[in-house]
Amino acid sequence: MEINKLLLTFAICRLIVTVGLTVDPAELLRLGVDGQLSVDPSDVEIASVDFGLLSRAEPMAVLHPASAEDIARLVRSAYNSATGFTVSARGHGHSINGQAQTSSGVVIEMSRRRSRGSQLGFGNPNPPQVSVKEMHADVWGGELWIDVLRSTLEYGLAPKSWTDYLYLSVGGTLSNAGISGQAFNHGPQISNVHELDVVTGKGEILTCSEDENSELFHAVLGGLGQFGIITRARISLEPAPQRVRWIRVLYSSFSSFARDQEYLISLYGNPPTQKFDYVEGFVIVEEGLINNWRSSFFSPRNPVKISSIAADGGVLYCLEITKNYHQSNVDTIDQEVESLLKKLNFIPSSVFTTDLPYVDFLDRVHDAELKLRSKGLWDVPHPWLNLFVPKSRIADFDKGVFKGILDNKTSGPILIYPMNTNKWDQRSSAVTPDEDVFYLVAFLRSALDNGEETQTLEYLSNQNRQILRFCDDAGIKVKQYLPHYTTQQQWVDHFGDKWSQFYKKKMEFDPRRILATGQRIFTPSFLASSSSSANVAPW
């Protein structure tokens, strides 16, 4: 322990020299946490980067908490500090633009999987607690969704709403929204939470819900970590299906593709037998993509051949739909699927179907991750761009971007699917286009150093800027999902009518602006110029 204190003191002193901080090392050494405050180079290195690999920020220490109280102690220390330091919570580190990083404070390693507490003899946050009677689960904010799923399945239950990738933390997705093909039916993950425990920027541990501390509850959901750190979430559950019928169909006409997607999500109020459980789609700008992305779907002996299909503007569109079922209704699933498919206008010869366990479907992207890791193609820069596009302009977006800016080469999937705005609680901090239906368009590309100019980080980043510039010039009022902006006015424009409340709640729950500074929305009070009253980051 004495060695760790000496290392921590050294790390803080080094930061004082390099970035001008005046943090008193004793402020951190007096914390007395049950977990571990680490300056181990491997811990610091992990906390310095994220999935995007587009930025780097080295913290002065990393906290592996054993409880919410550990987190509260750290935040209280930062809040009461005469000189100040920042605190960033990090889940699985799957952010793209350094949102969970800080170079002027401490990163809290929330993920149980990377927590060193149990190895070192300290405590560890509680595992998921499932209530079968109340149909909910209380889970640690750093718990990964894959582990939540495994815990609830022991009781025959599962959360209602998902992300495509399950190796993300509960607190991380709830700080954004948490979306996948189920969102049209159940809403995003932030619409399926009953209660939260939150450590505010003052170091208070508050329980919040619709009925208790409701302003904090709605602010934190979709709040980008600006108002507090989620340490517990009470997640809504439903009976878990056993199997999934997974269907893919192709379209050469964007108008038919969009019309069918919008029709399918309009069925959200129907009985389960009269709607699909999952609706997503993706854009195919090159033939190889459909066989490579989520390739576990297809048998290698029966690859999809699309070169003979006349594509509209050289682009094809793939609709993914699923029906969940139990062994008890296996005899009726074919009829239910056939009845729904009859009303769609896809290319008749393009139907591909597979059947698999529910868990395998939910965890499908992890299979792709393992294959990419084996080829050294996972730990590369990811210049992702996620946009919410209003339904009224999605055809213009198709013409200008899919058939315009994009070339016939891509280095990752391009998802596109609609959602119902009425499934989103507008009291949350999340922002969506002001229409009844909007589309997620996600450019999930990876930058590769393979000699292909169109796959370089510079090329893809420039293409992202072109897409945003096109939307701006065409008056398409998109909203970024997992947003990243560099100016005050961009953040104000992003939040629109919600900005004044967002700012007010920031001043109430994190008045020194020390939380989640990697989002680059607010400047910490101890770093703000004494001659300026601006509270928004000038970066």
Side-chain angles (χ1 to χ4, degrees), residues 143-149 159 162 166 168-170 173 189 235:
E143 200 77 62
L144 300 188
W145 283 102
I146 182 65
D147 296 319
V148 175
L149 175 62
W162 294 99
L166 302 189
L168 303 173
S169 70
V170 170
T173 65
Q189 290 179 320
I235 307 299

Side-chain angles (χ1 to χ4, degrees), residues 20 143 148 171 196 231 240 316 320 328 357 361 394 414 438 468 499 528:
E143 200 77 62
V148 175
L196 300 171
T231 58
L316 287 172
E320 290 188 302
S328 59
F361 172 74
I394 195 64
I414 302 169
F438 63 92
L468 291 171
W499 172 254

Side-chain angles (χ1 to χ4, degrees), residues 325-466:
Y325 68 96
H326 297 267
Q327 291 301 137
S328 59
N329 66 326
V330 67
D331 294 336
T332 62
I333 190 69
D334 289 340
Q335 183 179 347
E336 292 173 15
V337 167
E338 187 61 31
S339 176
L340 288 164
L341 289 179
K342 280 181 180 178
K343 299 178 181 178
L344 307 182
N345 296 297
F346 52 84
I347 299 169
S349 61
S350 70
V351 181
F352 294 86
T353 302
T354 191
D355 211 275
L356 70 172
Y358 183 60
V359 176
D360 290 357
F361 172 74
L362 291 181
D363 201 27
R364 63 201 178 280
V365 178
H366 188 51
D367 290 337
E369 174 190 349
L370 295 177
K371 291 175 182 178
L372 290 171
R373 284 189 182 278
S374 69
K375 299 176 182 178
L377 299 177
W378 184 259
D379 294 319
V380 298
H382 296 94
W384 287 9
L385 178 65
N386 295 271
L387 301 174
F388 288 156
V389 182
K391 169 189 168 181
S392 64
R393 301 301 303 275
I394 195 64
D396 297 324
F397 191 94
D398 169 62
K399 293 175 184 175
V401 178
F402 301 147
K403 299 187 180 81
I405 293 173
L406 295 185
D407 40 51
N408 62 358
K409 293 286 185 181
T410 187
S411 57
I414 302 169
L415 305 184
I416 173 171
Y417 58 92
M419 286 175 276
N420 295 306
T421 303
N422 65 2
K423 292 294 183 177
W424 293 63
D425 191 330
Q426 296 305 315
R427 294 172 296 177
S428 78
S429 293
V431 290
T432 63
D434 188 20
E435 294 190 7
D436 291 341
V437 171
F438 63 92
Y439 279 77
L440 169 73
V441 182
F443 301 88
L444 308 181
R445 282 95 65 82
S446 301
L448 306 176
D449 185 15
N450 60 3
E452 291 281 342
E453 181 190 0
T454 58
Q455 296 190 8
T456 63
L457 177 59
E458 180 182 5
Y459 184 91
L460 294 173
S461 298
N462 183 58
Q463 199 170 72
N464 286 345
R465 288 189 288 270
Q466 284 181 274

Side-chain angles (χ1 to χ4, degrees), residues 409-532:
K409 293 286 185 181
T410 187
S411 57
I414 302 169
L415 305 184
I416 173 171
Y417 58 92
M419 286 175 276
N420 295 306
T421 303
N422 65 2
K423 292 294 183 177
W424 293 63
D425 191 330
Q426 296 305 315
R427 294 172 296 177
S428 78
S429 293
V431 290
T432 63
D434 188 20
E435 294 190 7
D436 291 341
V437 171
F438 63 92
Y439 279 77
L440 169 73
V441 182
F443 301 88
L444 308 181
R445 282 95 65 82
S446 301
L448 306 176
D449 185 15
N450 60 3
E452 291 281 342
E453 181 190 0
T454 58
Q455 296 190 8
T456 63
L457 177 59
E458 180 182 5
Y459 184 91
L460 294 173
S461 298
N462 183 58
Q463 199 170 72
N464 286 345
R465 288 189 288 270
Q466 284 181 274
I467 293 168
L468 291 171
R469 190 160 53 246
F470 164 77
C471 292
D472 190 46
D473 292 343
I476 302 176
K477 296 181 179 180
V478 299
K479 293 292 186 182
Q480 283 193 34
Y481 178 57
L482 313 178
H484 171 64
Y485 299 107
T486 56
T487 70
Q488 169 182 349
Q489 190 57 49
Q490 286 173 329
W491 279 112
V492 173
D493 291 344
H494 171 78
F495 285 105
D497 293 341
K498 290 188 175 183
W499 172 254
S500 60
Q501 280 299 310
F502 192 88
Y503 178 85
K504 177 184 175 183
K505 291 174 184 177
K506 180 68 172 180
M507 296 306 108
E508 178 181 354
F509 297 116
D510 182 24
R512 295 198 70 183
R513 308 184 290 281
I514 57 178
L515 298 179
T517 54
Q519 294 281 2
R520 304 168 78 86
I521 304 175
F522 299 95
T523 301
S525 59
F526 63 87
L527 292 179
S529 170
S530 59
S531 61
S532 172

